[in-house]
């Protein structure tokens, strides 16, 4: 598996759905949160709270997840080409994607929203630095193989 993969969270298989019981419920049907509040809470979750960063760090620093990547880095250190990662690294990355998806799903559920309502909120708020597109891009970037490899290099 080469580092040039463009996989991200959107490419991975969905393992569960948070859209029950009614996936067609709109955010406007949920009086508890307006889209700006969803964006504010999501920004706090991604950028200010430690839960997500600790979850990522704990996963990456687990020796069973870190060592295969380190071996690939070491074996390519004498070469100018990017490392080729064994299939075991892809399996670890796939587990990381599942972790990210479940973390996001748990967060969305904690807001008492469905996935559809959350996506609607992200698409509704497009102004200011804390906007839905910025958050969606940030999450997508966290889920790219290249980003995962760079996080592993930091440890």
């Amino acid at each position: 598996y080469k580092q040039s993969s463009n996989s991200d969270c959107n490419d991975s298989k969905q393992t569960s759905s948070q859209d029950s019981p009614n996936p067609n419920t709109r955010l406007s049907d949920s009086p508890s949160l307006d889209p700006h509040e969803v964006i504010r809470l999501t920004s706090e979750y991604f950028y200010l709270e430690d839960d997500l960063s600790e979850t990522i760090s704990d996963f990456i620093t687990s020796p069973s997840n870190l060592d295969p990547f380190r071996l690939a880095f070491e074996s390519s250190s004498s070469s100018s080409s990017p490392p080729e990662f064994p299939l075991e690294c892809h399996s670890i990355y796939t587990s990381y994607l599942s972790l990210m998806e479940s973390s996001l799903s748990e967060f969305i559920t904690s807001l008492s929203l469905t996935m559809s309502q959350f996506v609607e909120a992200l698409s509704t708020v497009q102004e200011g630095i804390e906007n839905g597109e910025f958050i969606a891009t940030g999450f997508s970037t966290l889920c790219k193989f290249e980003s995962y490899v760079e996080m592993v290099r930091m440890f």
Side-chain angles (χ1 to χ4, degrees), residues 1-67:
Y1 192 79
K2 289 193 174 253
Q3 183 174 347
S4 62
S5 168
N6 287 326
S7 298
D8 64 25
C9 286
N10 297 325
D11 293 338
S12 62
K13 191 168 86 173
Q14 294 289 329
T15 56
S16 66
S17 173
Q18 297 297 323
D19 288 333
S20 58
N22 184 358
N24 297 320
T25 303
R26 300 186 47 80
L27 187 61
S28 57
D29 297 336
S30 176
S32 58
L33 293 174
D34 73 5
H36 288 82
E37 182 69 1
V38 172
I39 297 298
R40 185 188 68 74
L41 293 169
T42 304
S43 294
E44 287 178 6
Y45 174 71
F46 280 120
Y47 304 114
L48 300 177
E49 295 177 9
D50 292 334
D51 291 346
L52 183 62
S53 61
E54 287 176 4
T55 298
I56 293 170
S57 178
D58 290 347
F59 181 88
I60 290 173
T61 58
S62 167
S64 62
N65 295 333
L66 187 58
D67 292 344

Short mmCIF file of all heavy atoms in Angstrom, two decimals, residues 1-67:
data_model
loop_
_atom_site.label_atom_id
_atom_site.label_comp_id
_atom_site.label_asym_id
_atom_site.label_seq_id
_atom_site.Cartn_x
_atom_site.Cartn_y
_atom_site.Cartn_z
N TYR A 1 0.86 -1.17 0.00
CA TYR A 1 0.00 0.00 0.00
C TYR A 1 0.89 1.22 0.00
O TYR A 1 1.69 1.42 0.90
CB TYR A 1 -0.90 -0.04 1.23
CG TYR A 1 -2.02 0.97 1.20
CD1 TYR A 1 -3.15 0.73 0.46
CD2 TYR A 1 -1.93 2.14 1.91
CE1 TYR A 1 -4.17 1.64 0.43
CE2 TYR A 1 -2.95 3.05 1.89
CZ TYR A 1 -4.07 2.79 1.14
OH TYR A 1 -5.08 3.69 1.13
N LYS A 2 0.76 2.08 -1.00
CA LYS A 2 1.60 3.27 -1.10
C LYS A 2 0.96 4.46 -0.42
O LYS A 2 -0.26 4.56 -0.33
CB LYS A 2 1.86 3.61 -2.56
CG LYS A 2 2.79 2.63 -3.22
CD LYS A 2 3.25 3.22 -4.53
CE LYS A 2 4.28 2.34 -5.13
NZ LYS A 2 5.59 2.87 -5.07
N GLN A 3 1.78 5.38 0.01
CA GLN A 3 1.33 6.56 0.71
C GLN A 3 0.49 7.45 -0.18
O GLN A 3 -0.25 8.28 0.29
CB GLN A 3 2.53 7.33 1.25
CG GLN A 3 2.13 8.54 2.06
CD GLN A 3 3.30 9.20 2.70
OE1 GLN A 3 4.40 8.65 2.74
NE2 GLN A 3 3.10 10.38 3.19
N SER A 4 0.53 7.30 -1.47
CA SER A 4 -0.18 8.20 -2.36
C SER A 4 -1.68 7.96 -2.40
O SER A 4 -2.38 8.58 -3.16
CB SER A 4 0.38 8.08 -3.78
OG SER A 4 0.18 6.76 -4.24
N SER A 5 -2.19 7.10 -1.55
CA SER A 5 -3.62 6.85 -1.49
C SER A 5 -4.37 8.12 -1.14
O SER A 5 -3.94 8.90 -0.31
CB SER A 5 -3.91 5.78 -0.43
OG SER A 5 -5.27 5.72 -0.17
N ASN A 6 -5.49 8.33 -1.77
CA ASN A 6 -6.32 9.50 -1.48
C ASN A 6 -7.54 9.14 -0.68
O ASN A 6 -8.54 9.82 -0.71
CB ASN A 6 -6.73 10.20 -2.78
CG ASN A 6 -5.58 10.92 -3.42
OD1 ASN A 6 -4.72 11.44 -2.72
ND2 ASN A 6 -5.55 10.94 -4.73
N SER A 7 -7.47 8.05 0.06
CA SER A 7 -8.61 7.61 0.86
C SER A 7 -8.91 8.62 1.95
O SER A 7 -8.02 9.26 2.48
CB SER A 7 -8.31 6.27 1.53
OG SER A 7 -8.09 5.29 0.56
N ASP A 8 -10.18 8.75 2.25
CA ASP A 8 -10.57 9.55 3.39
C ASP A 8 -11.80 8.92 4.03
O ASP A 8 -12.25 7.89 3.61
CB ASP A 8 -10.78 11.02 3.05
CG ASP A 8 -11.92 11.27 2.08
OD1 ASP A 8 -12.85 10.44 2.01
OD2 ASP A 8 -11.89 12.30 1.40
N CYS A 9 -12.28 9.55 5.07
CA CYS A 9 -13.40 8.97 5.81
C CYS A 9 -14.61 8.75 4.92
O CYS A 9 -15.39 7.85 5.15
CB CYS A 9 -13.80 9.87 6.98
SG CYS A 9 -12.64 9.79 8.34
N ASN A 10 -14.79 9.57 3.91
CA ASN A 10 -15.95 9.43 3.05
C ASN A 10 -15.85 8.19 2.17
O ASN A 10 -16.85 7.71 1.67
CB ASN A 10 -16.12 10.67 2.17
CG ASN A 10 -16.38 11.90 3.01
OD1 ASN A 10 -17.03 11.82 4.03
ND2 ASN A 10 -15.85 13.03 2.58
N ASP A 11 -14.63 7.68 1.94
CA ASP A 11 -14.44 6.50 1.12
C ASP A 11 -14.66 5.21 1.89
O ASP A 11 -14.86 4.17 1.31
CB ASP A 11 -13.01 6.44 0.54
CG ASP A 11 -12.76 7.55 -0.46
OD1 ASP A 11 -13.75 8.09 -1.01
OD2 ASP A 11 -11.59 7.88 -0.67
N SER A 12 -14.59 5.27 3.20
CA SER A 12 -14.68 4.05 3.98
C SER A 12 -16.12 3.60 4.14
O SER A 12 -17.05 4.39 4.02
CB SER A 12 -14.03 4.25 5.34
OG SER A 12 -14.71 5.22 6.04
N LYS A 13 -16.28 2.33 4.42
CA LYS A 13 -17.60 1.74 4.54
C LYS A 13 -18.24 2.18 5.85
O LYS A 13 -17.62 2.14 6.89
CB LYS A 13 -17.46 0.22 4.49
CG LYS A 13 -18.77 -0.49 4.36
CD LYS A 13 -18.54 -1.94 4.03
CE LYS A 13 -18.35 -2.72 5.28
NZ LYS A 13 -18.27 -4.15 5.10
N GLN A 14 -19.49 2.61 5.77
CA GLN A 14 -20.22 2.99 6.96
C GLN A 14 -20.57 1.73 7.74
O GLN A 14 -21.13 0.80 7.18
CB GLN A 14 -21.51 3.73 6.59
CG GLN A 14 -21.25 5.07 5.94
CD GLN A 14 -20.70 6.08 6.93
OE1 GLN A 14 -21.02 6.03 8.11
NE2 GLN A 14 -19.87 6.98 6.47
N THR A 15 -20.25 1.70 9.02
CA THR A 15 -20.51 0.51 9.81
C THR A 15 -21.81 0.60 10.59
O THR A 15 -22.35 -0.39 11.00
CB THR A 15 -19.36 0.27 10.81
OG1 THR A 15 -19.19 1.44 11.60
CG2 THR A 15 -18.08 -0.04 10.06
N SER A 16 -22.29 1.80 10.81
CA SER A 16 -23.55 1.94 11.51
C SER A 16 -24.24 3.21 11.05
O SER A 16 -23.62 4.09 10.50
CB SER A 16 -23.33 1.98 13.02
OG SER A 16 -22.64 3.15 13.37
N SER A 17 -25.49 3.30 11.32
CA SER A 17 -26.24 4.47 10.91
C SER A 17 -26.82 5.15 12.14
O SER A 17 -27.44 4.52 12.97
CB SER A 17 -27.35 4.07 9.95
OG SER A 17 -28.17 5.20 9.68
N GLN A 18 -26.62 6.45 12.21
CA GLN A 18 -27.19 7.21 13.31
C GLN A 18 -28.49 7.86 12.86
O GLN A 18 -29.01 8.73 13.54
CB GLN A 18 -26.19 8.29 13.77
CG GLN A 18 -24.91 7.73 14.31
CD GLN A 18 -25.15 6.89 15.54
OE1 GLN A 18 -25.99 7.19 16.37
NE2 GLN A 18 -24.43 5.80 15.67
N ASP A 19 -29.01 7.47 11.71
CA ASP A 19 -30.18 8.10 11.15
C ASP A 19 -31.49 7.48 11.62
O ASP A 19 -32.54 7.82 11.12
CB ASP A 19 -30.13 8.05 9.62
CG ASP A 19 -29.09 9.01 9.07
OD1 ASP A 19 -28.81 10.00 9.75
OD2 ASP A 19 -28.58 8.75 7.98
N SER A 20 -31.50 6.56 12.54
CA SER A 20 -32.75 5.98 12.98
C SER A 20 -33.34 6.87 14.08
O SER A 20 -32.61 7.52 14.78
CB SER A 20 -32.51 4.56 13.47
OG SER A 20 -31.57 4.58 14.51
N PRO A 21 -34.60 6.95 14.23
CA PRO A 21 -35.60 6.20 13.51
C PRO A 21 -36.02 6.83 12.18
O PRO A 21 -36.56 6.15 11.33
CB PRO A 21 -36.79 6.16 14.48
CG PRO A 21 -36.66 7.43 15.26
CD PRO A 21 -35.17 7.70 15.35
N ASN A 22 -35.81 8.13 11.98
CA ASN A 22 -36.26 8.77 10.76
C ASN A 22 -35.13 9.55 10.11
O ASN A 22 -34.84 10.67 10.53
CB ASN A 22 -37.45 9.69 11.05
CG ASN A 22 -38.03 10.31 9.79
OD1 ASN A 22 -37.52 10.09 8.69
ND2 ASN A 22 -39.08 11.09 9.96
N PRO A 23 -34.51 9.01 9.07
CA PRO A 23 -33.38 9.69 8.45
C PRO A 23 -33.77 10.96 7.71
O PRO A 23 -32.92 11.75 7.35
CB PRO A 23 -32.82 8.64 7.49
CG PRO A 23 -33.95 7.73 7.21
CD PRO A 23 -34.80 7.74 8.45
N ASN A 24 -35.05 11.18 7.48
CA ASN A 24 -35.48 12.36 6.73
C ASN A 24 -35.85 13.53 7.63
O ASN A 24 -36.33 14.54 7.15
CB ASN A 24 -36.67 11.99 5.84
CG ASN A 24 -36.28 10.95 4.82
OD1 ASN A 24 -35.20 11.01 4.26
ND2 ASN A 24 -37.14 9.98 4.60
N THR A 25 -35.63 13.40 8.92
CA THR A 25 -35.92 14.48 9.84
C THR A 25 -34.94 15.63 9.57
O THR A 25 -33.74 15.43 9.50
CB THR A 25 -35.76 14.01 11.30
OG1 THR A 25 -36.61 12.89 11.50
CG2 THR A 25 -36.10 15.11 12.27
N ARG A 26 -35.49 16.81 9.40
CA ARG A 26 -34.66 17.98 9.10
C ARG A 26 -34.24 18.68 10.39
O ARG A 26 -34.89 18.53 11.42
CB ARG A 26 -35.42 18.93 8.19
CG ARG A 26 -35.79 18.27 6.86
CD ARG A 26 -36.40 19.21 5.87
NE ARG A 26 -35.72 20.47 5.68
CZ ARG A 26 -34.63 20.66 4.92
NH1 ARG A 26 -34.08 19.66 4.30
NH2 ARG A 26 -34.11 21.86 4.79
N LEU A 27 -33.15 19.44 10.31
CA LEU A 27 -32.66 20.16 11.48
C LEU A 27 -33.73 21.11 12.01
O LEU A 27 -33.87 21.28 13.21
CB LEU A 27 -31.39 20.94 11.11
CG LEU A 27 -30.65 21.61 12.25
CD1 LEU A 27 -30.17 20.57 13.25
CD2 LEU A 27 -29.48 22.41 11.72
N SER A 28 -34.52 21.68 11.12
CA SER A 28 -35.58 22.59 11.55
C SER A 28 -36.63 21.87 12.38
O SER A 28 -37.38 22.50 13.12
CB SER A 28 -36.22 23.27 10.34
OG SER A 28 -36.73 22.29 9.45
N ASP A 29 -36.70 20.53 12.28
CA ASP A 29 -37.62 19.74 13.08
C ASP A 29 -37.11 19.53 14.50
O ASP A 29 -37.82 19.01 15.35
CB ASP A 29 -37.87 18.37 12.44
CG ASP A 29 -38.53 18.49 11.08
OD1 ASP A 29 -39.20 19.52 10.82
OD2 ASP A 29 -38.38 17.56 10.28
N SER A 30 -35.86 19.89 14.75
CA SER A 30 -35.25 19.72 16.07
C SER A 30 -35.10 21.09 16.71
O SER A 30 -34.18 21.84 16.38
CB SER A 30 -33.88 19.06 15.92
OG SER A 30 -33.24 18.98 17.16
N PRO A 31 -35.99 21.46 17.61
CA PRO A 31 -35.98 22.82 18.18
C PRO A 31 -34.80 23.10 19.11
O PRO A 31 -34.55 24.23 19.44
CB PRO A 31 -37.30 22.88 18.95
CG PRO A 31 -37.59 21.46 19.31
CD PRO A 31 -37.02 20.63 18.19
N SER A 32 -34.04 22.07 19.48
CA SER A 32 -33.01 22.26 20.50
C SER A 32 -31.75 22.98 19.99
O SER A 32 -31.13 23.70 20.74
CB SER A 32 -32.62 20.92 21.12
OG SER A 32 -32.15 20.05 20.11
N LEU A 33 -31.39 22.79 18.73
CA LEU A 33 -30.15 23.38 18.23
C LEU A 33 -30.35 24.05 16.88
O LEU A 33 -30.92 23.46 15.96
CB LEU A 33 -29.08 22.30 18.06
CG LEU A 33 -28.55 21.62 19.31
CD1 LEU A 33 -27.62 20.48 18.93
CD2 LEU A 33 -27.84 22.61 20.20
N ASP A 34 -29.84 25.26 16.75
CA ASP A 34 -29.84 25.87 15.42
C ASP A 34 -28.50 25.56 14.76
O ASP A 34 -27.55 25.13 15.43
CB ASP A 34 -30.14 27.36 15.50
CG ASP A 34 -29.00 28.20 16.04
OD1 ASP A 34 -27.90 27.68 16.31
OD2 ASP A 34 -29.21 29.40 16.21
N PRO A 35 -28.38 25.74 13.46
CA PRO A 35 -27.14 25.37 12.76
C PRO A 35 -25.89 26.06 13.31
O PRO A 35 -24.83 25.44 13.39
CB PRO A 35 -27.42 25.79 11.31
CG PRO A 35 -28.90 25.76 11.18
CD PRO A 35 -29.43 26.15 12.53
N HIS A 36 -26.01 27.31 13.72
CA HIS A 36 -24.84 28.02 14.26
C HIS A 36 -24.36 27.39 15.56
O HIS A 36 -23.16 27.31 15.83
CB HIS A 36 -25.14 29.51 14.45
CG HIS A 36 -25.25 30.24 13.16
ND1 HIS A 36 -26.39 30.26 12.40
CD2 HIS A 36 -24.33 30.96 12.47
CE1 HIS A 36 -26.19 30.96 11.32
NE2 HIS A 36 -24.94 31.40 11.33
N GLU A 37 -25.30 26.93 16.37
CA GLU A 37 -24.94 26.26 17.63
C GLU A 37 -24.27 24.91 17.34
O GLU A 37 -23.30 24.54 18.00
CB GLU A 37 -26.19 26.07 18.50
CG GLU A 37 -25.91 25.42 19.83
CD GLU A 37 -25.12 26.30 20.80
OE1 GLU A 37 -24.78 27.45 20.48
OE2 GLU A 37 -24.81 25.81 21.89
N VAL A 38 -24.76 24.19 16.33
CA VAL A 38 -24.13 22.93 15.94
C VAL A 38 -22.69 23.19 15.51
O VAL A 38 -21.77 22.47 15.91
CB VAL A 38 -24.93 22.23 14.80
CG1 VAL A 38 -24.17 21.03 14.26
CG2 VAL A 38 -26.31 21.83 15.29
N ILE A 39 -22.49 24.23 14.71
CA ILE A 39 -21.13 24.57 14.25
C ILE A 39 -20.25 24.95 15.43
O ILE A 39 -19.10 24.51 15.53
CB ILE A 39 -21.17 25.71 13.21
CG1 ILE A 39 -21.93 25.27 11.96
CG2 ILE A 39 -19.77 26.21 12.88
CD1 ILE A 39 -21.32 24.12 11.21
N ARG A 40 -20.76 25.75 16.36
CA ARG A 40 -19.97 26.15 17.52
C ARG A 40 -19.55 24.94 18.35
O ARG A 40 -18.39 24.78 18.71
CB ARG A 40 -20.77 27.14 18.39
CG ARG A 40 -19.95 27.70 19.58
CD ARG A 40 -20.81 28.52 20.52
NE ARG A 40 -21.79 27.71 21.25
CZ ARG A 40 -21.48 26.88 22.26
NH1 ARG A 40 -20.23 26.74 22.65
NH2 ARG A 40 -22.42 26.19 22.88
N LEU A 41 -20.50 24.06 18.62
CA LEU A 41 -20.20 22.86 19.42
C LEU A 41 -19.24 21.93 18.69
O LEU A 41 -18.35 21.33 19.30
CB LEU A 41 -21.49 22.13 19.78
CG LEU A 41 -22.43 22.86 20.73
CD1 LEU A 41 -23.79 22.16 20.80
CD2 LEU A 41 -21.80 22.99 22.11
N THR A 42 -19.40 21.82 17.40
CA THR A 42 -18.51 20.96 16.61
C THR A 42 -17.10 21.53 16.58
O THR A 42 -16.12 20.80 16.71
CB THR A 42 -19.06 20.77 15.18
OG1 THR A 42 -20.39 20.26 15.26
CG2 THR A 42 -18.21 19.81 14.38
N SER A 43 -16.98 22.84 16.44
CA SER A 43 -15.66 23.48 16.47
C SER A 43 -14.98 23.25 17.81
O SER A 43 -13.79 22.94 17.86
CB SER A 43 -15.79 24.99 16.22
OG SER A 43 -16.23 25.24 14.92
N GLU A 44 -15.73 23.38 18.88
CA GLU A 44 -15.17 23.11 20.21
C GLU A 44 -14.70 21.67 20.32
O GLU A 44 -13.62 21.39 20.85
CB GLU A 44 -16.19 23.41 21.31
CG GLU A 44 -16.44 24.87 21.53
CD GLU A 44 -17.49 25.14 22.59
OE1 GLU A 44 -17.97 24.19 23.25
OE2 GLU A 44 -17.85 26.33 22.76
N TYR A 45 -15.50 20.75 19.81
CA TYR A 45 -15.15 19.33 19.86
C TYR A 45 -13.86 19.05 19.10
O TYR A 45 -12.97 18.36 19.60
CB TYR A 45 -16.30 18.51 19.29
CG TYR A 45 -16.00 17.03 19.14
CD1 TYR A 45 -15.89 16.20 20.26
CD2 TYR A 45 -15.83 16.46 17.88
CE1 TYR A 45 -15.63 14.85 20.13
CE2 TYR A 45 -15.58 15.10 17.75
CZ TYR A 45 -15.47 14.30 18.87
OH TYR A 45 -15.21 12.97 18.73
N PHE A 46 -13.73 19.62 17.91
CA PHE A 46 -12.55 19.35 17.09
C PHE A 46 -11.31 20.12 17.55
O PHE A 46 -10.20 19.60 17.46
CB PHE A 46 -12.82 19.69 15.62
CG PHE A 46 -13.57 18.63 14.89
CD1 PHE A 46 -14.79 18.90 14.32
CD2 PHE A 46 -13.06 17.34 14.77
CE1 PHE A 46 -15.49 17.92 13.63
CE2 PHE A 46 -13.75 16.35 14.10
CZ PHE A 46 -14.97 16.65 13.53
N TYR A 47 -11.48 21.35 17.99
CA TYR A 47 -10.32 22.20 18.19
C TYR A 47 -10.01 22.56 19.63
O TYR A 47 -8.87 22.96 19.93
CB TYR A 47 -10.49 23.49 17.37
CG TYR A 47 -10.73 23.20 15.91
CD1 TYR A 47 -11.93 23.52 15.30
CD2 TYR A 47 -9.75 22.57 15.14
CE1 TYR A 47 -12.16 23.24 13.97
CE2 TYR A 47 -9.97 22.28 13.80
CZ TYR A 47 -11.18 22.62 13.22
OH TYR A 47 -11.40 22.33 11.91
N LEU A 48 -10.96 22.46 20.54
CA LEU A 48 -10.70 22.91 21.91
C LEU A 48 -10.70 21.80 22.94
O LEU A 48 -9.96 21.86 23.92
CB LEU A 48 -11.73 23.98 22.31
CG LEU A 48 -11.73 25.24 21.45
CD1 LEU A 48 -12.85 26.18 21.90
CD2 LEU A 48 -10.39 25.95 21.50
N GLU A 49 -11.55 20.81 22.76
CA GLU A 49 -11.62 19.73 23.73
C GLU A 49 -10.53 18.70 23.47
O GLU A 49 -10.10 18.52 22.34
CB GLU A 49 -13.00 19.06 23.68
CG GLU A 49 -14.11 20.00 24.11
CD GLU A 49 -15.48 19.37 23.99
OE1 GLU A 49 -15.58 18.15 23.73
OE2 GLU A 49 -16.46 20.11 24.16
N ASP A 50 -10.08 18.04 24.52
CA ASP A 50 -8.99 17.08 24.40
C ASP A 50 -9.44 15.67 24.03
O ASP A 50 -8.62 14.84 23.66
CB ASP A 50 -8.20 17.01 25.71
CG ASP A 50 -7.45 18.30 26.00
OD1 ASP A 50 -7.11 19.02 25.04
OD2 ASP A 50 -7.19 18.57 27.17
N ASP A 51 -10.73 15.38 24.12
CA ASP A 51 -11.21 14.01 23.91
C ASP A 51 -10.78 13.43 22.57
O ASP A 51 -10.23 12.34 22.50
CB ASP A 51 -12.73 13.93 24.03
CG ASP A 51 -13.23 14.16 25.44
OD1 ASP A 51 -12.40 14.14 26.38
OD2 ASP A 51 -14.44 14.38 25.60
N LEU A 52 -11.03 14.16 21.48
CA LEU A 52 -10.70 13.64 20.16
C LEU A 52 -9.19 13.50 19.97
O LEU A 52 -8.71 12.47 19.50
CB LEU A 52 -11.30 14.51 19.05
CG LEU A 52 -11.09 14.00 17.63
CD1 LEU A 52 -11.75 12.64 17.43
CD2 LEU A 52 -11.63 15.01 16.63
N SER A 53 -8.44 14.51 20.37
CA SER A 53 -6.98 14.43 20.19
C SER A 53 -6.37 13.31 21.04
O SER A 53 -5.44 12.64 20.61
CB SER A 53 -6.31 15.77 20.49
OG SER A 53 -6.54 16.17 21.81
N GLU A 54 -6.92 13.10 22.24
CA GLU A 54 -6.43 11.99 23.08
C GLU A 54 -6.78 10.64 22.47
O GLU A 54 -5.98 9.70 22.52
CB GLU A 54 -6.99 12.11 24.49
CG GLU A 54 -6.36 13.22 25.29
CD GLU A 54 -6.99 13.41 26.67
OE1 GLU A 54 -7.88 12.62 27.05
OE2 GLU A 54 -6.60 14.37 27.35
N THR A 55 -7.96 10.53 21.89
CA THR A 55 -8.36 9.29 21.23
C THR A 55 -7.42 8.98 20.07
O THR A 55 -6.95 7.84 19.93
CB THR A 55 -9.82 9.40 20.72
OG1 THR A 55 -10.68 9.59 21.84
CG2 THR A 55 -10.24 8.17 19.95
N ILE A 56 -7.12 9.98 19.27
CA ILE A 56 -6.21 9.80 18.13
C ILE A 56 -4.82 9.44 18.63
O ILE A 56 -4.18 8.50 18.14
CB ILE A 56 -6.18 11.07 17.25
CG1 ILE A 56 -7.53 11.27 16.57
CG2 ILE A 56 -5.05 10.99 16.22
CD1 ILE A 56 -7.68 12.61 15.87
N SER A 57 -4.32 10.18 19.60
CA SER A 57 -2.98 9.94 20.14
C SER A 57 -2.86 8.55 20.74
O SER A 57 -1.86 7.85 20.50
CB SER A 57 -2.66 11.01 21.19
OG SER A 57 -1.40 10.78 21.75
N ASP A 58 -3.85 8.15 21.52
CA ASP A 58 -3.82 6.82 22.12
C ASP A 58 -3.79 5.73 21.05
O ASP A 58 -3.08 4.73 21.20
CB ASP A 58 -5.01 6.60 23.05
CG ASP A 58 -4.95 7.43 24.32
OD1 ASP A 58 -3.87 7.99 24.63
OD2 ASP A 58 -5.99 7.52 25.01
N PHE A 59 -4.55 5.91 20.00
CA PHE A 59 -4.58 4.92 18.93
C PHE A 59 -3.21 4.85 18.24
O PHE A 59 -2.65 3.77 18.04
CB PHE A 59 -5.67 5.26 17.90
CG PHE A 59 -5.75 4.26 16.79
CD1 PHE A 59 -6.54 3.12 16.92
CD2 PHE A 59 -5.04 4.43 15.61
CE1 PHE A 59 -6.60 2.17 15.91
CE2 PHE A 59 -5.09 3.49 14.59
CZ PHE A 59 -5.88 2.36 14.75
N ILE A 60 -2.69 6.00 17.86
CA ILE A 60 -1.43 6.03 17.11
C ILE A 60 -0.27 5.49 17.93
O ILE A 60 0.56 4.75 17.42
CB ILE A 60 -1.12 7.46 16.62
CG1 ILE A 60 -2.12 7.86 15.53
CG2 ILE A 60 0.31 7.56 16.08
CD1 ILE A 60 -2.01 9.30 15.10
N THR A 61 -0.21 5.84 19.21
CA THR A 61 0.95 5.47 20.02
C THR A 61 0.91 4.04 20.53
O THR A 61 1.88 3.58 21.13
CB THR A 61 1.13 6.43 21.21
OG1 THR A 61 -0.06 6.43 22.00
CG2 THR A 61 1.45 7.84 20.72
N SER A 62 -0.17 3.34 20.30
CA SER A 62 -0.21 1.92 20.65
C SER A 62 0.89 1.21 19.85
O SER A 62 0.95 1.35 18.62
CB SER A 62 -1.57 1.34 20.31
OG SER A 62 -1.52 -0.06 20.37
N PRO A 63 1.79 0.49 20.51
CA PRO A 63 2.89 -0.15 19.78
C PRO A 63 2.42 -1.02 18.60
O PRO A 63 3.07 -1.03 17.56
CB PRO A 63 3.58 -1.00 20.85
CG PRO A 63 3.30 -0.28 22.13
CD PRO A 63 1.90 0.28 21.97
N SER A 64 1.30 -1.69 18.75
CA SER A 64 0.84 -2.53 17.65
C SER A 64 0.41 -1.71 16.44
O SER A 64 0.42 -2.20 15.31
CB SER A 64 -0.31 -3.43 18.10
OG SER A 64 -1.41 -2.65 18.51
N ASN A 65 0.07 -0.43 16.66
CA ASN A 65 -0.30 0.45 15.55
C ASN A 65 0.87 1.27 15.04
O ASN A 65 0.90 1.65 13.88
CB ASN A 65 -1.43 1.39 15.97
CG ASN A 65 -2.70 0.65 16.27
OD1 ASN A 65 -2.95 -0.43 15.75
ND2 ASN A 65 -3.52 1.22 17.13
N LEU A 66 1.82 1.54 15.89
CA LEU A 66 2.95 2.40 15.55
C LEU A 66 4.11 1.64 14.92
O LEU A 66 4.70 2.10 13.92
CB LEU A 66 3.42 3.13 16.82
CG LEU A 66 4.47 4.20 16.69
CD1 LEU A 66 4.03 5.30 15.75
CD2 LEU A 66 4.78 4.78 18.07
N ASP A 67 4.44 0.49 15.45
CA ASP A 67 5.64 -0.25 15.02
C ASP A 67 5.67 -0.61 13.53
O ASP A 67 6.71 -0.43 12.88
CB ASP A 67 5.85 -1.49 15.87
CG ASP A 67 6.22 -1.15 17.31
OD1 ASP A 67 6.60 0.02 17.57
OD2 ASP A 67 6.13 -2.05 18.17
#
